[in-house]
Amino acid sequence: MADVDGRREARTVEQVREYLFAQINSALRRPGMFGGEIALRIYFDAMAFTDDREQAWSEEQDSLRARRAFLSTGVRGAFESLWGAGTDDMAASVYAEFAHRHGWLRLDRILSRDGYDKLIGANKAWCERDRTLGQTLAMFGPPSVYCGGTNPYFPKTLVYATGHPQDSLLCFHFWNEFLHLRTDQTALYGEPMLLAVRGEGSDFADSFTFTPVGTNQCQGARRSDQLSE
């Protein structure tokens, strides 16, 4: 929009906020396309400034470091230290927690209180066996936020949430291995496998319920760390 002298008017704070809200939600869903974790931090910095929540955002980052959910290599590094693999979708789900508490997260599906409680109750039993992405979607339905690309073989994170910011997100982390054969690569699994479900926990490592394949992944990561020492 231009004023009477033909100059374009600056956008309002609300317009800027709407733009950042849309960018944050797109970046949380497709973090790889937006520049990964660094892009998320930039968007969150800008949104925190716009909403006058810089202190809350700074305290959140301090809390992530204290819980060892943020290392020198970021949130991705915290996942990598746990099970030897850190992906953009995994990191995005951690940033989504702050977004949810502050009204920045758009939910594609809002779980009822009953549905949320049932999901929490089924979490441990579901992780007692190895599960695929397809099996999990069939069991629990579409997520509130789907973090990850459209490639059916690549890692994904499914985020389930209620409409109440005080309720923790339930995050289902899926992984796949890729075998490099000459100039080609082949996925080890026909679809991503569930490594763990993440909920509340005072320490980052304590917030996970692991599947058998997730437990094996963690043990393999620890063996690799021991060999590199």
Side-chain angles (χ1 to χ4, degrees), residues 25-44:
N25 279 277
S26 294
L28 287 172
R29 287 162 170 80
R30 299 295 298 277
M33 291 184 62
F34 283 78
E37 185 175 352
I38 294 298
L40 285 171
R41 291 178 63 184
I42 292 172
Y43 283 133
F44 275 59

Side-chain angles (χ1 to χ4, degrees), residues 28-95:
L28 287 172
R29 287 162 170 80
R30 299 295 298 277
M33 291 184 62
F34 283 78
E37 185 175 352
I38 294 298
L40 285 171
R41 291 178 63 184
I42 292 172
Y43 283 133
F44 275 59
D45 285 347
M47 191 65 151
F49 178 82
T50 302
D51 275 6
D52 192 20
R53 295 184 184 174
E54 295 118 308
Q55 182 174 348
W57 174 227
S58 177
E59 291 172 352
E60 174 72 7
Q61 293 175 82
D62 289 341
S63 175
L64 290 175
R65 291 186 180 93
R67 293 170 48 223
R68 294 192 57 78
F70 188 104
L71 306 182
S72 59
T73 48
V75 174
R76 279 190 59 159
F79 281 100
E80 189 166 354
S81 71
L82 184 67
W83 53 42
T87 58
D88 289 330
D89 59 282
M90 294 174 187
S93 69
V94 174
Y95 287 90

Side-chain angles (χ1 to χ4, degrees), residues 103-140:
W104 300 353
L105 186 64
R106 185 185 75 247
L107 301 179
D108 299 322
R109 176 192 173 197
I110 300 175
L111 270 66
S112 66
R113 169 57 56 188
D114 183 58
Y116 179 78
D117 290 343
K118 287 181 178 178
L119 190 57
I120 291 177
N123 170 18
K124 187 174 182 179
W126 186 250
C127 290
E128 288 177 353
R129 296 174 54 190
D130 287 329
R131 309 290 185 174
T132 66
L133 175 63
Q135 289 171 334
T136 303
L137 286 169
M139 181 66 178
F140 300 116

